[in-house]
């Protein structure tokens, strides 16, 4: 259980700046997910925290101690790599106990710690196998086992589940949540997968192009995205966006005019906008299927594709030239491609972003 | 691996390969065959002559100190292989994993050695070794051999290390290894196929090296197997049977060794020990 | 760190009491040391020495006098030098392509058309490479021998009568030696191609087969182009090997008859160690060295250094 702080950390490779100075605090025992598109610098940030990569400027603090120049083991961190990075020539128990062996711990201590880790991760039966004789999920568990034997202050996990198939990923997600509860350690978890981030994390850090776009609890990001990037990144399918002009920003409500000339009335609590060009956003699950045209906040459209997911139905709609996706928690048996529908945007569900 | 191949073409191809191999093996068979002849057949212009006799082998083993030459070869070769393997793995590790500043410049410099023909080095080496007092010593050939062999080994091993996942080395670092421990516990086991390949190749090259050995090893006590056939060709001028028995004995150790290790050698080669 | 609580202080003491740890401090330069040491002492120093020496001439009383490029002109004016150059060019031009052709063909059939016998063929064709070169030389002297050698005996069946040993005839000696060299080293080319063929991505071959490429067509338009890297490495190694040629020639002809089969190795050996002319020996050494460097640079510029991936290519520009 430890607290991690990054103070004005920046990184450049040669002339290429990967991130401009950024600050981040991860509290004791917190599970923090780092999400963002590929190449935005998540792994690099994690490697800076681990001490595998020196920051170009700034400081890394663990429990208020400046660890910027220290080696990974001295920082008390453990890392699980995306590719697992199991030593191919060592058996599972040697892999798990290698860090202790290097630290010259006694044979008994290594043995008991390896056994404890194995039990926690249900690896007991696999201890004498070589890594190549394991399945993907088992390798993943060994990689985690290797991390927990070191009793780290902070766990760093770099896309630990991305090499697994969908079913296994679901199982391992539960496993990590369980492990997290039993260890109570501070964890920093890099992922592409917003479902992992939403379900596992206490807090999510959304990164883009080396900047932190927003930090917040999963539901906070979902309900109150700070900007268009976060809004589009969190939630699936992604939020619908429309360009709009502010027509009237004086009342309790905001009146926006869309490109097709229709007006939308939006709760103004959401965003303090008074004039100019903005982007209107609404999540597919918040769009309502209207019947009568003409009642306010409606947009007519033609159904292009119907996707029935079982519990939900996704409608891909051509709304006078612009795509719109809506998600309905019904099977909508009566609706087929080609049908004309009316979509209603509830005022309280709309988001407004400055351009 | 091969599927649906017409049997006829398979047979034809095998027959052709065996035929070519038969021609290819004529010198080897001829060597063995002369060694197995009686004195009055020794000059027959045939590939095989019957009956076979082991007398020549008995004679030359009784009369000569082949074993001591063999030991000399073994000492020189093993020492060279050990030095080459040690130096080149350390160097390759520093380049490929530690990315030490200037290591690539040193690497490029070292590479030019690949192209240096021994012919242009023997003269200065001979003089250098004379000033060291290393003429007619094992060290006098071991170190030059190692210096000449290391660049190729470095090229092979560096490429192999660069192809290994770098997360393994990082994992070792997170596990608390310093550079030396990473080298010893992770890098060396990881590149084992390439290491075996390099070791065997260096063994073959060193065992068969002739030029420098000829110049540096002039006393019988230190001579290696490769340079002794000359003196036997004078000694057994009139008795080819004995000469070729000696030659067979000289050639045999390395051939046998290769047959034993060829599987590991080819495996290293297939594992991409040599690029392209 | 301006604001450190007292608790923070105690924690900060920890690393100092721990064994101080550096993954890669300056001491890691020791990793480079052994190889560099070997290189400097046994390669670089001799090269520098020989380069300096080539500008001096040593007299009977062991006093060296500076003669500038004089020895170079002497060597270039020596007709034997030009025989050597011709022989080396012949050597390279014949051995390298022939070895590639035979080795590549054999490798192709071994890898693509045999199964149970694959290991056997791979090993057997490689045996000449591991047979001691001095043994090989004496065996071939015997094969080439007039009257009792099997070479002339077999050729007689084809209507070719050899009156003398081919290595005793100035016009054929070099070709006879080239044949021995080809015989010895083809197995090496074969094994390199074997590795190349075995490592061809099966997807590409399958895709080509789906496209209708089969047999020779597949070999010609897919396999040969994809083996280009091996061919390039073999070319580089072949040129190096050509310049290294020595034992076969020294043992079979000694460069004779009348210098007809002289190569750089024997030329240097004779000049430096038999005739004891250090200045001229050094000069020849330098010429060979420069030639080797030029050849390999030309090759790297035109073909890229495939033996040496990535880093080397940038350095050699
Ligand atoms: N050693 C390096 N030298 C130069 N650029 C690098 C280096 N390592 C990473 N980069 C660059 O830094 C950027 C961030 O890389 P990073 O690996 O952190 O991305 P990521 O967010 O982890 O992406 P992914 O989700 O695909 O893993 C990339 O544009 C990458 O090209
Ligand atoms: Mg990454």
């Amino acid at each position: 259980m430890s607290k991690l702080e990054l103070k004005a950390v920046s990184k450049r490779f040669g002339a290429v700046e990967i991130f401009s100075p950024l600050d981040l605090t991860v509290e004791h025992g917190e599970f923090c997910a780092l999400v963002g598109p590929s190449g935005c610098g998540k792994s690099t940030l994690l490697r800076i925290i681990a001490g595998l990569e020196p920051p170009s400027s700034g400081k890394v603090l663990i429990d208020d101690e400046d660890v910027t120049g220290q080696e990974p083991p001295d920082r008390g961190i453990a890392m699980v790599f995306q590719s697992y990075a199991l030593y191919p020539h060592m058996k599972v128990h040697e892999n798990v106990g290698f860090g202790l062996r290097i630290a010259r711990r006694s044979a008994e201590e290594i043995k008991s710690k390896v056994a404890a880790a194995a039990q926690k991760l249900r690896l007991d039966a696999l201890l004498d196998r070589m890594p190549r004789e394991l399945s993907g999920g088992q390798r993943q568990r060994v990689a985690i086992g290797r991390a927990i034997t070191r009793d780290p202050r902070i766990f760093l996990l770099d896309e630990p589940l991305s090499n697994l198939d969908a079913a296994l990923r679901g199982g391992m997600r539960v496993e990590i949540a369980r492990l997290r509860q039993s260890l109570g350690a501070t964890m920093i978890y890099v992922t592409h997968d917003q479902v992992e981030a939403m379900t596992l994390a206490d807090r999510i850090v959304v990164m883009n192009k080396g900047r932190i776009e927003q930090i917040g609890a999963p539901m906070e990001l979902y309900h109150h995205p700070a900007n268009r990037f976060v809004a589009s990144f969190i939630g699936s399918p992604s939020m619908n966006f429309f360009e709009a002009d502010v027509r009237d920003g004086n009342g309790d409500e905001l009146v926006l005019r869309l490109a097709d000339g229709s007006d939308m009335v939006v709760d103004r609590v959401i965003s303090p906008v008074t004039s100019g060009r903005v982007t209107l956003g609404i999540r597919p699950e918040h769009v309502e299927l209207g019947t009568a045209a003409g009642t306010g906040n409606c947009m007519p459209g033609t159904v292009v594709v119907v996707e029935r997911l079982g519990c939900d139905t996704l409608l891909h709609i051509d709304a006078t030239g612009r795509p719109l996706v809506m998600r309905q928690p019904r099977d909508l048996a009566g609706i087929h491609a080609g049908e004309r529908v009316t979509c209603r945007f509830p005022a309280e569900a709309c988001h407004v972003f400055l351009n | 691996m091969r599927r649906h191949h017409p049997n006829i073409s398979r047979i034809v191809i095998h027959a052709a390969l065996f035929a070519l191999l038969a021609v290819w093996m004529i010198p080897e068979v001829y060597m063995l065959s002369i060694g197995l002849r009686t004195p009055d057949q020794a000059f027959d212009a045939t590939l095989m002559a019957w009956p076979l006799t082991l007398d020549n082998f008995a004679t030359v083993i009784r009369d000569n100190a082949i074993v001591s030459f063999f030991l000399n070869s073994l000492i020189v070769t093993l020492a060279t292989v050990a030095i080459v393997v040690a130096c080149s793995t350390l160097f390759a590790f520093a380049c490929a994993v530690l990315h030490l500043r200037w290591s690539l410049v040193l690497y490029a410099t070292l590479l030019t050695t690949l192209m240096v023909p021994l012919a242009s080095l023997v003269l200065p080496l001979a003089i250098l070794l004379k000033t060291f007092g290393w003429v007619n010593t094992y060290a006098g050939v071991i170190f030059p051999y190692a210096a000449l062999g290391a660049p190729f080994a470095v090229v092979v091993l560096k490429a192999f290390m660069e192809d290994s996942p770098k997360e393994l080395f990082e994992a070792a670092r997170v596990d608390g290894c310093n550079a030396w421990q990473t080298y010893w516990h992770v890098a060396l086991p990881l590149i084992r196929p390439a290491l075996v390949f390099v070791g065997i190749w260096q063994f073959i090259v060193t065992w068969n090296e002739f030029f420098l050995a000829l110049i540096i090893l002039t006393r019988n006590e230190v001579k290696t197997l490769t340079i002794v056939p000359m003196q036997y060709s004078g000694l057994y001028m009139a008795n080819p049977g004995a000469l070729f028995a000696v030659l067979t004995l000289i050639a045999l150790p390395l051939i046998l060794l290769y047959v034993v290790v060829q599987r590991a050698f080819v495996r290293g080669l297939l594992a991409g020990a040599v690029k392209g | 760190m301006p604001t450190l609580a007292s608790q923070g202080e105690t924690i900060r003491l920890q690393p100092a009491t721990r064994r101080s740890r550096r993954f890669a401090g300056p001491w890691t330069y020791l990793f480079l040391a052994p190889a560099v040491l070997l290189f400097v002492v046994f390669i670089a120093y001799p090269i520098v020495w020989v380069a300096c020496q080539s500008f001096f001439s040593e007299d009977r009383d062991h006093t060296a006098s500076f003669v500038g490029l004089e020895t170079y002109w002497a060597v270039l004016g020596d007709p034997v030098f030009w025989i050597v150059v011709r022989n080396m060019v012949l050597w390279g031009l014949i051995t390298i392509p022939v070895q590639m052709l035979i080795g590549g063909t054999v490798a192709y059939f071994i890898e693509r058309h045999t199964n149970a016998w694959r290991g056997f063929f791979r090993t057997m064709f490689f045996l000449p490479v591991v047979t001691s070169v001095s043994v090989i030389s004496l065996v071939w002297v015997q094969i080439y021998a007039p009257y009792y050698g099997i070479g002339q005996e077999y050729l007689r069946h084809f209507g070719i009568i050899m009156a003398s040993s081919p290595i005793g005839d100035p016009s054929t000696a070099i070709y006879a030696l080239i044949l021995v060299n080809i015989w010895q080293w083809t197995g090496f080319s074969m094994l390199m191609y074997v590795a190349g063929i075995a490592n061809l991505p099966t997807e590409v071959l399958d895709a080509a087969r789906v496209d209708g490429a089969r047999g020779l067509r597949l070999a010609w338009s897919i396999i040969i182009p994809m083996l280009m890297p091996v061919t390039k490495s073999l070319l580089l190694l072949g040129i190096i090997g050509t310049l290294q040629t020595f034992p076969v020639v020294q043992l079979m002809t000694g460069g004779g008859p009348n210098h007809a089969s002289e190569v750089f190795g024997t030329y240097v050996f004779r000049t430096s160690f038999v005739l004891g002319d250090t200045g001229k020996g050094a000069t020849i050494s330098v010429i060979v060295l420069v030639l080797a460097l030029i050849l390999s640079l030309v090759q790297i510029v035109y073909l890229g250094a495939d033996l040496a991936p990535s880093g080397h290519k940038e350095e050699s520009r």
Side-chain angles (χ1 to χ4, degrees):
Chain A
M1 276 244 236
S2 284
K3 176 176 158 196
L4 169 84
E5 274 178 281
L6 301 183
K7 291 201 168 158
V9 166
S10 73
K11 179 71 191 175
R12 45 175 65 245
F13 287 113
V16 189
E17 180 160 79
I18 308 298
F19 17 89
S20 40
L22 54 80
D23 298 290
L24 175 66
T25 306
V26 180
E27 298 294 340
H28 290 276
E30 193 173 33
F31 193 119
C32 174
L34 230 52
V35 300
S38 191
C40 71
K42 306 179 296 289
S43 298
T44 309
L45 186 61
L46 208 64
R47 290 160 48 79
I48 288 175
I49 298 171
L52 290 170
E53 197 85 66
S56 302
S57 70
K59 281 181 186 162
V60 180
L61 282 77
I62 295 178
D63 287 337
D64 300 321
E65 176 196 351
D66 187 351
V67 297
T68 313
Q70 287 182 11
E71 279 298 303
D74 296 337
R75 298 178 178 208
I77 56 100
M79 189 155 173
V80 176
F81 293 86
Q82 177 175 359
S83 57
Y84 316 140
L86 301 181
Y87 308 118
H89 55 282
M90 295 183 199
K91 290 184 173 164
V92 168
H93 72 88
E94 292 168 315
N95 259 290
V96 173
F98 183 64
L100 299 171
R101 198 176 123 210
I102 290 299
R104 295 173 193 277
R105 301 296 174 76
S106 69
E108 302 93 78
E109 185 187 348
I110 296 177
K111 205 165 174 191
S112 71
K113 284 218 165 139
V114 169
Q119 206 206 347
K120 211 168 259 171
L121 292 161
R122 287 179 265 130
L123 289 170
D124 314 70
L126 307 174
L127 284 178
D128 276 320
R129 297 225 197 141
M130 298 300 273
R132 62 169 175 276
E133 299 162 349
L134 301 178
S135 73
Q138 291 167 337
R139 283 178 209 187
Q140 184 54 62
R141 295 216 296 274
V142 176
I144 295 175
R146 189 167 65 178
I148 65 179
T149 43
R150 315 195 51 245
D151 291 333
R153 299 195 275 183
I154 300 179
F155 271 101
L156 306 174
L157 301 99
D158 192 354
E159 308 197 27
L161 305 186
S162 64
N163 280 353
L164 304 179
D165 65 48
L168 203 52
R169 208 181 299 175
M172 282 306 291
R173 210 163 65 209
V174 176
E175 195 109 0
I176 287 179
R178 203 174 53 88
L179 189 73
R180 192 256 150 139
Q181 274 165 10
S182 73
L183 295 175
T186 309
M187 290 193 170
I188 300 176
Y189 186 103
V190 171
T191 177
H192 263 118
D193 183 352
Q194 50 143 329
V195 178
E196 277 169 32
M198 297 289 283
T199 54
L200 288 171
D202 300 322
R203 270 199 317 158
I204 298 179
V205 177
V206 183
M207 290 184 65
N208 185 28
K209 295 184 188 146
R211 274 200 324 275
I212 293 181
E213 299 280 356
Q214 191 174 2
I215 305 178
M219 280 306 137
E220 190 185 333
L221 298 191
Y222 179 79
H223 289 303
H224 307 293
N227 53 41
R228 185 175 164 165
F229 178 81
V230 177
S232 68
F233 201 82
I234 303 287
S236 167
S238 192
M239 189 183 270
N240 298 296
F241 295 105
F242 301 94
E243 298 299 312
D245 286 312
V246 178
R247 270 197 71 208
D248 180 2
N250 294 325
D252 275 352
E253 295 175 321
L254 211 58
V255 182
L256 305 179
R257 168 152 298 179
L258 302 190
D260 65 353
S262 60
D263 283 349
M264 292 284 167
V265 181
V266 181
D267 278 7
R268 73 158 307 144
V269 255
I270 295 175
S271 249
V273 186
T274 50
S275 65
R277 253 184 115 62
V278 293
T279 302
L280 168 67
I282 184 159
R283 296 204 180 274
E285 50 272 37
H286 294 152
V287 181
E288 290 175 1
L289 200 56
T291 39
T295 58
N297 273 16
C298 282
M299 185 180 275
T302 313
V303 177
V304 183
V305 175
V306 183
E307 288 183 281
R308 295 179 209 282
L309 306 178
C311 58
D312 288 355
T313 304
L314 297 185
L315 298 182
H316 296 261
I317 293 165
D318 175 10
T320 51
R322 271 150 309 133
L324 168 68
V325 181
M326 64 187 289
R327 179 180 193 132
Q328 293 286 304
R330 293 172 283 156
D331 70 2
L332 294 177
I335 292 193
H336 301 286
E339 202 145 325
R340 291 196 60 79
V341 293
T342 304
C343 311
R344 211 179 76 79
F345 296 3
E348 69 281 4
C350 289
H351 302 264
V352 177
F353 305 105
L354 289 170
N355 282 11
Chain B
M1 293 220 323
R2 300 265 14 102
R3 313 150 264 216
H4 346 286
H5 245 279
N7 264 332
I8 302 286
S9 81
R10 274 185 75 96
I11 292 169
V12 171
I13 286 167
H14 277 78
L17 282 174
F18 274 112
L20 183 65
L21 185 62
V23 175
W24 218 258
M25 287 296 111
I26 285 176
E28 310 266 1
V29 174
Y30 191 44
M31 166 180 79
L32 190 61
S33 137
I34 299 182
L36 294 172
R37 290 177 193 191
T38 56
D40 39 315
Q41 300 162 327
F43 287 98
D44 288 359
T46 53
L47 183 57
M48 298 298 296
W50 309 96
L52 304 179
T53 165
L54 285 173
D55 289 354
N56 293 319
F57 284 89
T59 317
V60 297
I61 288 172
R62 198 181 55 233
D63 292 356
N64 296 292
I66 294 255
V67 175
S68 77
F69 296 129
F70 173 81
L71 286 180
N72 289 339
S73 276
L74 201 63
I75 292 168
V76 166
T77 306
L78 286 180
T80 305
V81 170
I83 295 175
V84 165
V85 163
C87 292
S88 57
T89 48
L90 286 168
F91 191 93
F93 182 77
C95 293
V97 179
L98 300 179
H99 302 292
L100 292 187
R101 194 183 294 254
W102 298 113
S103 62
L104 277 186
V105 176
L106 286 177
Y107 173 73
T109 315
L110 208 63
L111 266 191
T112 54
T113 320
L114 269 183
M115 296 106 184
V116 173
L118 186 55
S120 59
L121 283 185
V122 279
L123 173 61
L125 272 178
I127 291 166
L128 179 75
L129 295 171
K130 205 171 189 174
T131 57
F132 282 4
W134 281 4
V135 174
N136 280 316
T137 64
Y138 296 134
V141 283
I142 289 171
F143 286 102
Y145 288 167
L148 287 161
F152 177 74
V154 166
V155 171
V156 171
L157 296 173
K158 174 170 171 283
F160 207 81
M161 281 194 206
E162 276 166 352
D163 279 357
S164 322
K166 77 174 196 311
E167 287 86 3
L168 281 175
F169 303 117
E170 294 183 340
R173 193 171 169 190
V174 171
D175 271 336
C177 292
N178 60 24
W180 170 259
Q181 289 166 320
T182 308
Y183 165 79
W184 187 254
H185 291 294
V186 179
L188 280 189
L190 206 58
I191 57 166
R192 216 180 53 205
L195 213 55
V196 170
F197 169 80
V198 164
I200 295 173
W201 180 245
Q202 188 63 46
F203 194 102
I204 294 171
V205 170
T206 311
W207 187 276
N208 281 340
E209 205 288 325
F210 178 79
F211 205 161
L212 199 64
L214 178 69
I215 291 161
I216 302 300
L217 308 177
T218 52
R219 295 216 339 257
N220 261 341
E221 297 88 86
V222 287
K223 274 184 185 169
T224 53
L225 272 185
T226 2
I227 47 175
V228 289
M230 290 189 313
Q231 65 197 58
Y232 286 121
S233 76
L235 185 63
Y236 292 121
M237 186 85 84
N239 186 2
L243 173 62
F244 281 76
V246 175
L247 294 186
T248 307
L249 288 178
I250 288 171
L252 215 51
L254 196 62
I255 292 180
L256 289 182
L257 179 83
Y258 180 72
V259 170
V260 171
V261 299
Q262 58 92 15
R263 204 175 279 274
F265 182 71
V266 173
R267 194 184 309 129
L269 195 63
L270 293 188
V274 173
K275 297 325 250 339
Chain C
M1 280 300 304
T3 56
L4 261 181
S6 59
Q7 175 201 11
E9 293 289 353
T10 53
I11 295 171
R12 222 151 65 109
L13 288 177
Q14 252 184 325
T17 51
R18 261 180 249 160
R19 184 164 52 96
S20 95
R21 196 179 333 228
R22 297 261 7 115
F23 177 75
W27 63 273
T28 45
Y29 276 89
L30 290 176
F31 279 75
L32 298 169
V36 170
L37 193 69
L38 277 181
F39 173 78
V40 169
V41 176
F42 295 101
I43 310 280
Y45 172 75
I47 287 177
V48 172
W49 185 90
V50 86
C52 294
Q53 208 59 33
S54 66
F55 298 110
F56 289 88
S57 149
E58 195 169 318
D59 302 327
R60 290 265 172 268
D61 53 352
H62 294 289
T63 51
S65 52
F66 184 79
V67 291
L69 288 175
E70 204 173 282
T71 27
Y72 284 87
W73 302 133
V75 170
L76 293 180
D78 182 354
V80 177
F81 175 78
W82 294 104
I83 296 177
V84 169
V85 171
R86 188 203 64 149
N87 283 344
M88 299 272 48
V89 170
L90 271 179
W91 195 282
L93 283 184
I94 298 176
T95 54
I96 298 173
V98 171
Q99 282 168 12
M100 282 180 185
L101 196 68
I102 303 178
T105 313
V106 170
Y108 172 79
F109 284 110
I110 290 179
E111 283 307 295
R112 308 276 307 160
H113 296 282
T114 68
N115 216 337
W117 291 94
R118 186 178 296 161
F120 172 78
F121 283 129
R122 278 176 180 173
T123 310
M124 292 306 278
F125 278 108
F126 197 71
L127 282 193
V129 178
V130 296
T131 309
S132 180
V133 67
S134 39
V135 171
I136 283 172
S137 304
L138 296 184
V139 172
W140 277 87
V141 168
Q142 186 83 0
I143 290 176
Y144 283 149
Y147 311 120
Y148 55 87
I150 50 172
Q152 48 89 25
E153 175 68 20
Y154 284 178
L155 285 179
R156 204 165 46 213
H157 293 304
F158 297 101
I160 303 171
I161 308 292
M162 284 198 316
S164 62
S165 170
I167 51 175
D169 181 339
S171 62
T172 55
I174 189 73
Y175 299 101
L177 296 176
I178 286 174
L179 179 66
V180 178
N181 191 67
I182 290 175
W183 174 79
Q184 191 186 7
W185 285 98
T186 294
F188 181 79
S189 300
M190 179 229 31
L191 207 62
M192 293 284 283
Y193 277 120
V194 160
I197 293 173
N199 281 336
L200 288 180
T202 37
E203 291 87 6
V204 176
L205 298 182
D206 287 344
R209 196 165 311 125
V210 170
D211 288 342
R214 250 170 247 284
L216 283 182
R217 174 106 202 107
L218 182 73
W220 184 254
S221 53
I222 307 289
I223 297 181
I224 291 180
M226 285 181 71
L227 289 179
M228 224 28 218
V230 181
T231 309
K232 286 180 192 170
S233 316
L234 284 176
L235 185 59
L236 182 69
L237 294 172
I239 291 176
I240 297 169
T242 300
L243 292 171
Q244 304 274 27
T245 303
F246 175 70
V248 171
V249 182
Q250 176 67 22
L251 287 165
M252 291 183 69
T253 66
N258 192 22
H259 301 298
S261 62
E262 203 86 67
V263 293
F264 274 129
T266 54
Y267 191 37
V268 170
F269 180 76
R270 183 195 306 279
T271 314
S272 316
F273 297 99
V274 180
L275 304 178
D277 188 343
T278 317
K280 192 175 169 194
T283 307
I284 301 168
S285 300
V286 172
I287 293 176
V288 180
L289 207 62
V290 170
L291 221 79
L293 284 180
I294 291 175
L295 279 175
S296 43
L297 281 184
V298 165
Q299 184 167 28
I300 287 164
V301 168
Y302 279 95
L303 299 176
D306 276 282
L307 233 186
S310 59
H312 177 229
K313 226 176 272 178
E314 289 141 27
E315 301 295 338
S316 55
R317 289 275 149 82

